[in-house]
Amino acid sequence: MNLFKLVNKKIIFTLYTLIVVCIGFATVIEKYRGTSFAYEHIYGSWWFSGLWAILTMTACSYIIKHQLYKRAAVMLLHLSFVVILAGALTTHIFAHSGTLLLRTSIPVSEYIEKDGSIKPLPFSLTLKEFRIVNYPGTDAPLDYQSVIQQTDGEDIVVSMNNVGHIGSYRFFQSSYDSDGEGVSLGVRHDPYGVAITYCGYLLLLVGITATLLSKKTQMRTLYRKAMQPIAVLLLLALYPSPLFANDALQVVDKDIAHRLGTVNVLYNNRICPLNTVATDFVTTLSGKASWKGYSADEIFVSWMIFYSPWEKQKLIRIKDNQVQQLLGIDGEWASYSDFQDGYQEYKLKGAVEELMNGSTSIDRKALMDADEKYHIIEMFYRGEFIKMFPYRSGATTNWYMPGGQSLPREIPVKEQFFIKQSMDYLTESIVTGQHDRAVEIIAKIKLFQREMLQAGEHSTEVTADDLLPNDNKVKAEIFYNTIRSQKWPVFLALTLSLLLCVAILVSSRGAWLRAVSLLYVALLTIYLTLLLGLRWWISGHIPVSNGHETMLFMAWVVLLLTILLRHKFPIISGFGPLIASFCLLVSMLAGSNSQITPLMPVLQSPLLSVHVMTVMCAYALFALQLLLGVQALLLIREKSNDELERVTALSQLLLYPGVFLLTIGIFLGAVWANISWGDYWSWDPKESWALITLMVYAVPLHKTSIVFFQKPHGYHIYMVCAFLAVIITYFGVNYLLGGMHSYA
């Protein structure tokens, strides 16, 4: 019997490891050979399904031999995965998918499968209408909706987050024809697999709940062992940012610049104050939202009016030496004029062309960064950043830049004149020092916006109050821009977090240190709550839609855990702020992700927020386990057995909610995908690596069956290395592997 158990365990471990390696290898293959190749040769192959089937059967036999069915909670948890895999196999064998091509008023009763074959439908469908729903007051798409009708049936609306159902057939929005008279709908026919899989999800939720509440698991024992305080030490170097001298330079009046910064414009497909544009413009060029003591509003508006002298100001940061040589500058600061030679030709044009041809030795990122800054200024000169004059015609609203020469004839002459001339009058007032007149013109621009966005005779339509941000929201966004553009709070947080860790290590942790640490964590939590709250209010959605936002959320979660657990697990007071500070650093480095933009139509689902939040909570717990692992390895060298036992117990205690949260997050994402585009699992690189991360962290949960994890050094070495899977899942997929989730 013992020999059987040993052989069985080795088979399970070998198959488990092989599957993880195959999934990881497939994501790399997909990068270079395409999705179809990866699915045909790996994900959809008979041998890959066979590996899963053999692993499942071997694991089931092991469970029976060990009489795991006597522990109901754990048995239910493992049974749920068997049901989920059975559902996936059923889908793989019996499901059909393809594309349905519809044109207005033409009935269709067949669709095209992925292999190009024609498959009949048991009914006919007709496209009655296709419509693009925009965000109010903009031309940015909010949703794509197809109204289809079954023969002698009711109308069915298919949109980005609403799959149409007819019997066991499901239809989801895919694309549309350029003339708006036709659509391509995805078709999914899976009469059995989805139901079985959803039953598995339900069993999984019940199993997780039962496991957490069960008295027969190790969690209660681990909790008691982890109650005592321990310390931590990590080192971090802080690099100072450059300071600038404040030389005299002619700029517009600060009050005028601020007032103009409150005027709403269309930017990034949403309506926001001009201050947001100015902040992004100056930050992109110089790396910070101010320059020589001048605010972003002052720089942006002054450059609009006194453009000639501002072209010579060295406020564009160029870090790469080779790019500096191409521009002919001494040091890392360049002016717009430095980008052009004596014949007004772009100096980097040849280098960029060579880069596109793959024949340059200059660093790609550095050259593209410099090229982007030059073309941002070109866009600025074309007026693309100051679309401040709206005109509403029915349900459509278009925004125009000042001085527009190609305005549609439907705009009345009086309004056309205001669009073309108002900024000229404002410029004249500023140049001649007529402060009151300039203030009056800015007020008239705001009034013009409101008048052009009124619903008019259609009382059921939204009004200007619904479309334009109110004064409080404008002030909130300007305040948020001020906060988000500052880098020093991040570096200060890193420094203070390091000092706190050192203090916890060398101090006896008296009442004064507990009070200081609590105050610091509270202040950092308030700062992050303010950032997230403002971003939520301004954007209109929970801020978990991109890398910048998810890092902020993860930092916030870590700090909440620190506050909640600090009394029972004092080590958290050292680890929590440090992890949160690193998350802040990553969010700061996220670049353009810090800009607020409308959600992609497919992301406009309430499941998105829950999906991302549960996954990020899991990652936060895994990050804590990483530092606990480092601390434990140091304690092993010092032979501090008592503290080592407590650190190990705390790490193992955090492992349970971490794995369970990641599991819930992954399968919530599967439900969201099924609702949005009719397929709950597509082996996208992010999905695949999230599954790998789950499988990697699930292994130590079975430490009683694996000798390696029964020794502290083995367990902690594994936990430190396991975090590499999180890094690849979050960063590697985004920047190296791509896929549908690379925006996150």
Side-chain angles (χ1 to χ4, degrees):
M1 181 64 70
N2 290 334
L3 180 61
F4 172 81
K5 291 181 179 179
L6 180 62
V7 172
N8 213 2
K9 282 198 295 185
K10 288 186 175 181
I11 293 175
I12 292 173
F13 180 78
T14 302
L15 290 171
Y16 194 88
T17 305
L18 185 58
I19 289 174
V20 170
V21 172
C22 287
I23 296 174
F25 181 71
T27 61
V28 178
I29 290 294
E30 182 178 351
K31 170 70 175 179
Y32 296 100
R33 300 298 297 272
T35 302
S36 299
F37 183 90
Y39 187 84
E40 179 182 354
H41 292 84
I42 300 178
Y43 298 131
S45 65
W46 63 268
W47 62 264
F48 189 68
S49 298
L51 286 178
W52 282 105
I54 296 172
L55 174 64
T56 303
M57 290 186 293
T58 308
C60 287
S61 68
Y62 187 84
I63 289 172
I64 294 173
K65 291 293 182 180
H66 278 71
Q67 298 182 338
L68 193 63
Y69 48 81
K70 293 183 177 180
R71 300 165 60 192
V74 179
M75 180 61 186
L76 191 61
L77 189 64
H78 287 78
L79 178 62
S80 68
F81 286 104
V82 175
V83 175
I84 290 171
L85 289 173
L89 180 62
T90 304
T91 295
H92 179 66
I93 296 174
F94 296 104
H96 295 275
S97 61
T99 303
L100 176 67
L101 304 177
L102 295 175
R103 295 286 295 179
T104 305
S105 303
I106 301 176
V108 176
S109 59
E110 57 187 22
Y111 67 94
I112 305 171
E113 289 202 309
K114 290 182 178 181
D115 60 2
S117 61
I118 304 299
K119 191 83 171 179
L121 289 169
F123 44 78
S124 293
L125 294 177
T126 303
L127 176 65
K128 292 184 63 177
E129 180 188 3
F130 172 74
R131 52 181 178 250
I132 301 176
V133 181
N134 293 330
Y135 282 92
T138 76
D139 56 0
L142 172 66
D143 199 3
Y144 305 102
Q145 299 178 350
S146 298
V147 182
I148 59 177
Q149 183 181 43
Q150 182 184 359
T151 305
D152 300 327
E154 297 182 353
D155 291 350
I156 299 172
V157 178
V158 179
S159 63
M160 294 305 296
N161 283 299
N162 182 49
V163 175
H165 297 263
I166 301 178
S168 58
Y169 287 86
R170 310 173 75 239
F171 304 90
F172 50 95
Q173 188 68 45
S174 179
S175 62
Y176 61 93
D177 298 346
S178 57
D179 60 0
E181 296 296 320
V183 298
S184 297
L185 299 181
V187 182
R188 188 77 172 171
H189 184 222
D190 186 6
Y192 315 112
V194 172
I196 297 174
T197 303
Y198 275 25
C199 287
Y201 293 169
L202 180 60
L203 285 175
L204 177 66
L205 180 60
V206 175
I208 287 175
T209 305
T211 302
L212 290 173
L213 298 178
S214 175
K215 296 181 179 180
K216 296 183 179 180
T217 63
Q218 302 179 50
M219 293 189 64
R220 294 178 182 270
T221 302
L222 294 173
Y223 176 81
R224 287 191 294 270
K225 289 182 179 180
M227 286 291 289
Q228 300 301 320
I230 52 180
V232 63
L233 176 62
L234 290 175
L235 299 178
L236 176 69
L238 177 64
Y239 295 92
S241 56
L243 300 175
F244 299 93
N246 191 354
D247 299 329
L249 179 69
Q250 184 181 6
V251 294
V252 300
D253 180 79
K254 182 178 293 186
D255 178 62
I256 296 298
H258 171 71
R259 289 176 182 270
L260 195 56
T262 63
V263 174
N264 288 300
V265 296
L266 182 68
Y267 174 64
N268 276 341
N269 291 323
R270 72 182 188 93
I271 301 171
C272 64
L274 184 63
N275 172 266
T276 298
V277 183
T279 301
D280 290 343
F281 177 77
V282 177
T283 302
T284 301
L285 296 183
S286 67
K288 55 190 302 186
S290 61
W291 178 78
K292 291 190 174 182
Y294 300 120
S295 68
D297 288 335
E298 291 175 282
I299 296 170
F300 190 86
V301 177
S302 298
W303 199 329
M304 277 199 305
I305 298 174
F306 308 110
Y307 57 88
S308 182
W310 277 92
E311 289 180 351
K312 299 179 176 61
Q313 300 304 313
K314 293 187 177 294
L315 54 77
I316 306 172
R317 193 173 189 184
I318 306 295
K319 298 181 181 180
D320 186 77
N321 292 331
Q322 291 179 298
V323 179
Q324 293 172 10
Q325 292 176 7
L326 289 175
L327 295 176
I329 59 176
D330 183 17
E332 61 179 15
W333 294 97
S335 67
Y336 174 73
S337 299
D338 290 328
F339 283 79
Q340 298 176 332
D341 59 20
Y343 300 97
Q344 302 298 306
E345 294 291 332
Y346 179 37
K347 291 181 180 180
L348 301 182
K349 181 179 180 181
V352 173
E353 291 176 349
E354 291 179 0
L355 177 64
M356 296 305 172
N357 296 328
S359 58
T360 182
S361 60
I362 300 176
D363 180 73
R364 176 184 179 87
K365 185 178 183 301
L367 182 58
M368 294 306 295
D369 180 67
D371 182 67
E372 177 192 18
K373 292 178 179 180
Y374 173 79
H375 283 95
I376 282 176
I377 299 175
E378 292 289 290
M379 294 170 64
F380 166 77
Y381 278 136
R382 292 194 298 268
E384 296 182 25
F385 293 145
I386 47 176
K387 294 181 178 180
M388 62 172 58
F389 298 104
Y391 184 77
R392 188 175 180 185
S393 177
T396 304
T397 302
N398 293 310
W399 289 71
Y400 302 96
M401 62 189 70
Q405 300 300 316
S406 57
L407 299 175
R409 294 182 179 179
E410 65 183 32
I411 300 180
V413 175
K414 181 180 178 182
E415 281 72 21
Q416 288 202 29
F417 180 81
F418 187 86
I419 293 173
K420 292 179 179 179
Q421 300 297 325
S422 58
M423 284 301 291
D424 291 339
Y425 292 146
L426 178 60
T427 300
E428 178 187 354
S429 301
I430 292 174
V431 171
T432 57
Q434 301 179 61
H435 180 276
D436 293 340
R437 184 171 180 240
V439 171
E440 182 182 355
I441 294 173
I442 293 173
K444 287 183 177 180
I445 292 175
K446 292 183 176 181
L447 180 61
F448 177 87
Q449 291 180 336
R450 299 190 64 82
E451 290 177 347
M452 291 300 99
L453 292 175
Q454 289 297 341
E457 60 186 25
H458 304 288
S459 58
T460 58
E461 295 184 10
V462 293
T463 65
D465 291 333
D466 301 314
L467 300 177
L468 290 174
N470 57 42
D471 290 342
N472 290 332
K473 202 165 188 177
V474 169
K475 292 177 182 178
E477 182 156 354
I478 293 175
F479 177 59
Y480 172 75
N481 291 334
T482 302
I483 298 175
R484 75 177 173 97
S485 63
Q486 303 296 323
K487 296 182 179 180
W488 65 265
V490 177
F491 293 114
L492 178 62
L494 284 168
T495 304
L496 294 178
S497 297
L498 171 63
L499 293 176
L500 180 61
C501 286
V502 173
I504 290 177
L505 177 68
V506 302
S507 171
S508 59
R509 293 185 298 278
W512 69 272
L513 183 56
R514 291 196 295 271
V516 169
S517 65
L518 178 60
L519 176 62
Y520 169 63
V521 172
L523 290 175
L524 195 55
T525 305
I526 292 172
Y527 171 74
L528 275 167
T529 303
L530 180 63
L531 279 178
L532 289 169
L534 285 172
R535 197 172 177 97
W536 188 348
W537 183 27
I538 294 165
S539 66
H541 60 80
I542 299 177
V544 289
S545 62
N546 58 39
H548 175 80
E549 293 177 346
T550 53
M551 279 290 99
L552 289 179
F553 180 77
M554 182 172 172
W556 186 71
V557 169
V558 170
L559 291 175
L560 286 184
L561 288 172
T562 303
I563 293 175
L564 293 174
L565 303 177
R566 59 186 299 272
H567 287 297
K568 295 183 178 180
F569 309 112
I571 189 175
I572 298 294
S573 297
F575 283 154
L578 193 59
I579 294 175
S581 300
F582 273 114
C583 292
L584 279 174
L585 179 63
V586 174
S587 72
M588 184 184 73
L589 298 176
S592 60
N593 273 346
S594 64
Q595 299 175 2
I596 298 175
T597 57
L599 279 176
M600 297 168 58
V602 74
L603 299 182
Q604 295 156 12
S605 168
L607 286 175
L608 165 70
S609 302
V610 184
H611 162 63
V612 175
M613 287 190 291
T614 52
V615 171
M616 295 311 297
C617 286
Y619 290 168
L621 292 173
F622 294 155
L624 286 172
Q625 286 183 288
L626 168 68
L627 293 187
L628 286 169
V630 173
Q631 171 65 13
L633 294 176
L634 293 176
L635 292 173
I636 290 174
R637 293 186 59 184
E638 298 172 1
K639 298 182 180 180
S640 302
N641 294 329
D642 291 340
E643 291 189 358
L644 175 61
E645 183 180 5
R646 287 190 288 270
V647 171
T648 304
L650 178 56
S651 177
Q652 293 171 349
L653 179 65
L654 296 178
L655 183 62
Y656 283 86
V659 170
F660 291 161
L661 283 171
L662 181 57
T663 304
I664 293 171
I666 288 174
F667 292 113
L668 277 175
V671 174
W672 169 36
N674 198 38
I675 292 174
S676 296
W677 51 79
D679 193 0
Y680 54 85
W681 194 265
S682 59
W683 292 110
D684 180 77
K686 181 76 83 172
E687 295 175 352
S688 299
W689 272 99
L691 178 60
I692 290 173
T693 302
L694 174 61
M695 294 178 72
V696 167
Y697 275 94
V699 173
L701 290 177
H702 304 81
K703 70 182 185 70
T704 55
S705 302
I706 304 175
V707 177
F708 180 77
F709 294 119
Q710 295 174 7
K711 298 179 180 179
H713 71 275
Y715 170 80
H716 290 292
I717 289 174
Y718 183 90
M719 297 308 296
V720 170
C721 296
F723 196 72
L724 179 63
V726 177
I727 294 175
I728 296 176
T729 303
Y730 192 83
F731 298 104
V733 172
N734 289 354
Y735 299 109
L736 298 176
L737 298 178
M740 291 186 299
H741 292 77
S742 59
Y743 52 78

